[in-house]
Amino acid sequence: MSFCIKQSALAKCMDISNSFVHRRSQSTICRSSFPPALVLQNDPKRTHLSVSKPLHISSIEIIGKEKRPAIQCKAYEADKSQPIEAAAEAKPEAAKRVKIGIYFATWWALNVVFNIYNKKVLNAYPYPWLTSTLSLACGSLMMLISWATRIAEPPKTDFEFWKTLFPVAVAHTIGHVAATVSMSKVAVSFTHIIKSGEPAFSVLVSRFLLGETFPLAVYLSLLPIIGGCALAAVTELNFNMTGFMGAMISNLAFVFRNIFSKKGMKGKSVSGMNYYACLSMLSLLILTPFAIAIEGPQLWAAGWEKALSEIGPQFVWWVAAQSIFYHLYNQVSYMSLDQISPLTFSIGNTMKRISVIVSSIIIFHTPVQPINALGAAIAILGTFLYSQAKA
């Protein structure tokens, strides 16, 4: 049910006389309530009131000093403690938080799935250079199709864009291959424990190569990171030096990738999704000749036949899945950077590593000693403290 009341009638209802209105430039009326809820809508001639829930008039202010001042009503619903305007403003903020939560959940889930399939592929087909190349090739093809079909708007780039992107792509390529080599030699959980030490590399590179200084809390947060990684490394049951060095090189490469990205991409109006797509394509061009030179088609063909004979046709699905999910999880992470602060992203990245470590231990039945788990926990805690110290 809905009805209308002229402003003069509303004033009479609240015992406000015209003389009282003209005497005071701003007045607050004691709280009145209507049995039904009243939703006020702006109208130059009259005020519309519609019924939904009990609504209380908290105050009425007289705005302006003209002969016919405008009356501004402030109200709140009976079961709420904030004005309707504030509740309306809170809705976009709540929607944004839900959106960020969806980004994080999707990012973590895709990353877990990628790591599982990637490890399955590497166990049956130990050619990390080709595996890394296929991941980049699949993502590049997916984005080219998306641009061609207008599912995604293609970016507007120029020579300067690709020039500034090149060092980022070099660092990204090295980091990607090094991480894949690491996972081909050691457990997924161990690789991610070592990769949680990336903040230590970031501080050291920024301090000694770029001359940046940090608060004392940042330097102190490095102690549990370095100590936890060291404890996890020396107590790892299946320790492999190639796997360990691969994770360390990956950390260093991704630090330089972040530095080059910050320096080169300032002022560039390319979305996170398209930025990562361009990065994948350029990295693919850089990586392909090295993959051919280091491993080569002959090893790839022989290994492929062996994997198919041992695993069966599902091996093809494993390769396709690890390639698709690699691109998707990275794409979502870059898209989330458009919506959240670097601090929130850093915390999310820490939580992502926890989910990957735990899930890989469960799925692959990785033997873990208590002292090894303690080292991992200390390193991850240090990463969290680092993100808080840099805030």
Side-chain angles (χ1 to χ4, degrees), residues 48-196:
H48 295 274
L49 307 173
S50 63
V51 177
S52 59
K53 289 181 180 178
L55 181 77
H56 301 297
I57 301 297
S58 61
S59 66
I60 295 182
E61 297 177 356
I62 311 303
I63 303 175
K65 297 182 179 180
E66 301 85 359
K67 292 183 179 180
R68 301 183 66 180
I71 299 176
Q72 181 181 32
C73 294
K74 294 184 177 180
Y76 66 92
E77 292 180 359
D79 59 349
K80 294 184 180 179
S81 59
Q82 59 180 340
I84 293 175
E85 292 87 348
E89 291 175 359
K91 288 182 179 180
E93 184 66 24
K96 183 178 179 181
R97 290 180 181 178
V98 171
K99 185 178 181 180
I100 292 173
I102 293 174
Y103 270 125
F104 272 5
T106 306
W107 176 23
W108 297 342
L110 292 173
N111 190 262
V112 168
V113 174
F114 158 72
N115 278 278
I116 292 171
Y117 279 110
N118 188 48
K119 183 60 177 176
K120 284 186 174 184
V121 170
L122 291 172
N123 285 341
Y125 190 68
Y127 298 100
W129 287 81
L130 176 60
T131 304
S132 302
T133 305
L134 292 176
S135 300
L136 296 173
C138 181
S140 300
L141 179 61
M142 289 168 61
M143 287 308 302
L144 287 174
I145 294 174
S146 298
W147 291 340
T149 57
R150 294 294 174 175
I151 296 175
E153 188 68 23
K156 296 179 181 179
T157 61
D158 52 19
F159 177 76
E160 188 65 24
F161 171 84
W162 294 100
K163 179 181 176 182
T164 55
L165 187 64
F166 182 78
V168 183
V170 171
H172 178 73
T173 303
I174 295 172
H176 175 41
V177 173
T180 308
V181 169
S182 175
M183 282 190 278
S184 70
K185 300 295 183 181
V186 297
V188 175
S189 56
F190 180 71
T191 297
H192 280 273
I193 291 171
I194 301 303
K195 282 179 67 62
S196 66

Side-chain angles (χ1 to χ4, degrees), residues 168 202 257-266 275 390:
V168 183
S202 179
R257 180 192 66 178
N258 296 337
I259 292 173
F260 293 143
S261 181
K262 289 177 183 177
K263 289 194 168 203
M265 300 310 299
K266 289 182 179 178
Y275 177 75
K390 282 203 70 177

